[in-house]
Amino acid sequence: MLHRIDTVLFDFDGTLVEMSIDFTEMRRRVLSLGLEYGVSPKPDLYILESIGDIFENLLQRDADQANDFKRRAEKLIIDIEMEAATRAKMIPGADKTLSNSVIKRKS
């Protein structure tokens, strides 16, 4: 049975929802993916910078491989974020904050 989505709420700063993304695991998996393609990025880069670094290295050798890596790395990140979203919890009192806010449900 399909459910109609009534509202979508984006909370990027943790004001309403607590979501724990395992960035250490995300980084490990991105670097491991890079190694599958024979490229190891600089150790002090952030995750997205690592993807860019690996992509640029691969691009010099093979554009198809570079694009394949980038697609797989982006999917990996989305998968980890979506899995974390399934475990997200509303911060206590967030429902009251929303009910008292400008955001009102249409009747």
Side-chain angles (χ1 to χ4, degrees), residues 16-105:
L16 304 170
V17 176
E18 181 180 308
M19 189 167 88
S20 180
I21 298 173
D22 189 344
F23 290 106
T24 301
E25 177 64 10
M26 184 184 290
R27 177 175 172 71
R28 187 195 66 72
R29 290 175 61 186
V30 165
L31 297 181
S32 177
L33 182 61
L35 290 174
E36 284 182 34
Y37 286 85
V39 179
S40 181
K42 300 172 191 96
D44 58 341
L45 299 178
Y46 292 110
I47 296 167
L48 295 179
E49 291 173 327
S50 294
I51 291 171
D53 185 55
I54 295 167
F55 176 79
E56 290 299 323
N57 276 289
L58 287 170
L59 199 55
Q60 294 173 17
R61 294 189 306 196
D62 184 328
D64 289 337
Q65 268 197 341
N67 289 321
D68 186 58
F69 164 78
K70 188 174 182 182
R71 179 190 54 76
R72 289 179 64 194
E74 289 170 349
K75 182 181 180 327
L76 183 152
I77 288 174
I78 289 169
D79 289 348
I80 290 171
E81 289 175 342
M82 292 300 290
E83 195 277 325
T86 65
R87 293 180 279 112
K89 304 265 189 258
M90 185 176 285
I91 291 177
D95 53 343
K96 185 176 180 181
T97 299
L98 288 172
S99 68
N100 293 330
S101 72
V102 178
I103 302 173
K104 296 290 180 180
R105 192 173 183 177

